[in-house]
Amino acid sequence: MLKKLMLGVLGLVVLVVGIILVRTFTYGGSPVGGRVELPAAPEISAESAAEHLAEAIRFKTVTLSGGDPRPGQEGAWLSLQDWLVDTYPAAHAAMTRETVPGTLTLLYTWKGSDPSLKPLLLMAHQDVVPVNIGTEDDWTGAPFAGEIIDGYVYGRGAIDDKGNLIGLMEAAEGLAASGYQPKRTVMFMFGHDEEVLGSGAQAGIALLKSRGVEPEMALDEGFMVIDPSPITGKSMAFVGVSEKGYITLKLTVVAAGGHSSQPPRNSADVALSRAIVALDENQMPADFSKPPVSELFLASGQDMPFMQRMALANLWLFQGAVESSMAKVPAGNAMIRTTTAPTMLSGSAKENVLPQRAMAMVNFRIHPNDTPESVMAHVKEVTKDIEGLEIEIGGDGISSPASPVSPTDNRAYAVLASVAAEVGNGAPVAPALVIGATDSRYAAAITQNIYRFAPALMSPEDLTGFHGTNERISVENMARLSKGYAQVILGMDGPDS
């Protein structure tokens, strides 16, 4: 009897191990989405594109808060826009240009020959974030000098987002100068205030909606090819198919104040601290079963180390371990769930006075699996036992859901994936979740096909320049951007999905 039992257990173990191994070796065998054959793009000079980016960086189009630039401070934007006309004559001869009413946002239209095809909308933004005071001398190239040093263009906006804007205009200039006439109408929208909530792009999308424009694809900044990828340790391309939403909740505890020499056991500060700790220890749930997370892992599966691949291929057994491992890395945690970030705290105005009101702002970046309403419900449930706690929407009442997850089974994604694979020299291409916000989130009002990708290849070190010191982009990447955007335009001249 014991022998039969042992044989049975052994057989079960062999079966489970067999299932695990079969699932592991077959995991991620096929790419996500289709691919297309890319037409040849016109020759575009990398050096010329880099010089043009350097010139664009010198226009200090800095936004600090909503409403920027203020009346009378539009000079840098207007000068940049005049410079675009002078620098790209063929593109401006081929396209019509207008300014979205009430904004400094530009809208270009390159009319296609086939009105039955839905237009292509390509997006970038003109504004940049400021440079932290006192850090200017830490830059290799001065932040607004537009210097080219050792094969890199240095300056604020090099990768966020004037590099993409110039890449788009280089592509348009090269195509127009070659005599190209698009079948599909091509539109360019260059927002003027993306870094401060993007009212210009919002107005631009509203204008297109009022005209009945329904693009086949909207493409904006977001991801690129990363070498090495933090997921596989090898080169890998990411195409953003969704971006997180945003909500800030204000947590306030009202309690008796008084002198710090006689503190109560549950002061306002203590109660508020308990609420913050409770939220930190009870994160929003993760879900690996839905796109884009499920497709991200699937697309990268073949290049993963064996143990990592085995765990992801067998989440029925290893999900707890995978979630725990990813939660330890901020970028990984942000990819799999709505994040919880206490950011602002206030209480007493003096060290020996107990506050009557203690307040915390907690910022949540909302995963597509969640909504602003589910975040609020989660916070209320986690903190329901904390006496005197009040919860309301903070941050000027700003609240936006995550964008819908765009499909990967259409021509738009196939074109982007093909361009990305070429930029990455055959690197796998994965749909992914953008954890920040872009102007493209507004495009959900006019199309379901919204993607966030720039045809560039960058290292993790390059990416530290986003909003940081020594923002830069290589001259070689300016060639990739220009060629890649031209290939997107040419590739999308095919039929609608």
Side-chain angles (χ1 to χ4, degrees), residues 258-260 269 347-355:
H259 201 283
S260 63
D269 283 344
S348 174
K350 197 170 185 294
E351 77 276 6
N352 63 349
V353 176
L354 296 168

Side-chain angles (χ1 to χ4, degrees), residues 263-465:
R265 291 299 303 274
N266 192 37
S267 67
D269 283 344
V270 171
L272 182 64
S273 298
R274 287 181 178 143
I276 293 172
V277 170
L279 290 174
D280 185 66
E281 292 180 345
N282 295 274
Q283 298 282 322
M284 297 285 288
D287 187 347
F288 296 88
S289 66
K290 302 174 186 175
V293 173
S294 59
E295 291 185 336
L296 168 64
F297 292 145
L298 190 64
S300 55
Q302 287 293 308
D303 279 0
M304 288 181 181
F306 178 80
M307 295 301 292
Q308 185 177 344
R309 184 176 170 189
M310 181 177 71
L312 289 169
N314 296 277
L315 288 172
W316 58 278
L317 185 60
F318 299 115
Q319 178 163 333
V322 171
E323 181 176 340
S324 177
S325 177
M326 293 196 71
K328 294 175 182 177
V329 181
N333 190 54
M335 190 65 67
I336 64 173
R337 60 161 46 88
T338 294
T339 51
T340 304
T343 54
M344 300 174 67
L345 302 172
S346 65
S348 174
K350 197 170 185 294
E351 77 276 6
N352 63 349
V353 176
L354 296 168
Q356 291 176 291
R357 298 177 66 87
M359 183 274 292
M361 291 287 194
V362 185
N363 181 248
F364 298 84
R365 299 302 177 105
I366 306 173
H367 196 279
N369 295 341
D370 300 313
T371 64
E373 292 75 21
S374 68
V375 171
M376 177 68 85
H378 168 80
V379 173
K380 289 182 176 180
E381 175 62 25
V382 168
T383 62
K384 63 183 180 182
D385 295 328
I386 298 176
E387 187 176 348
L389 179 66
E390 300 172 358
I391 304 169
E392 59 185 320
I393 296 178
D396 298 324
I398 297 170
S399 172
S400 61
S403 68
V405 178
S406 297
T408 56
D409 59 354
N410 55 11
R411 183 176 184 85
Y413 183 85
V415 168
L416 294 177
S418 301
V419 171
E422 180 170 304
V423 170
N425 297 314
V429 183
L433 174 64
V434 175
I435 60 177
T438 71
D439 276 343
S440 68
R441 65 190 183 278
Y442 299 115
I446 56 176
T447 180
Q448 66 171 349
N449 300 330
I450 306 170
Y451 303 95
R452 303 146 187 93
F453 173 76
L457 190 156
M458 296 189 182
S459 68
E461 181 185 0
D462 292 332
L463 298 179
T464 62

Side-chain angles (χ1 to χ4, degrees), residues 1 3 15 74 80 151 213 220 246 258 274 280 364 374-375 440:
M1 181 68 181
K3 183 177 180 180
L15 177 63
E74 309 95 337
L80 171 62
V213 175
D220 201 357
Y246 186 103
R274 287 181 178 143
D280 185 66
F364 298 84
S374 68
V375 171
S440 68

Side-chain angles (χ1 to χ4, degrees), residues 43 49 69 71 86 92 94 111-112 117 120 136 140 145 159 165 178 230 242 320 352 355 370 392 420 434 438 465:
E43 288 294 327
D86 294 337
H92 281 81
K111 191 171 179 59
L117 296 176
L120 171 64
E136 294 87 351
T140 299
I159 52 177
L165 190 156
S178 72
S242 179
N352 63 349
D370 300 313
E392 59 185 320
V434 175
T438 71

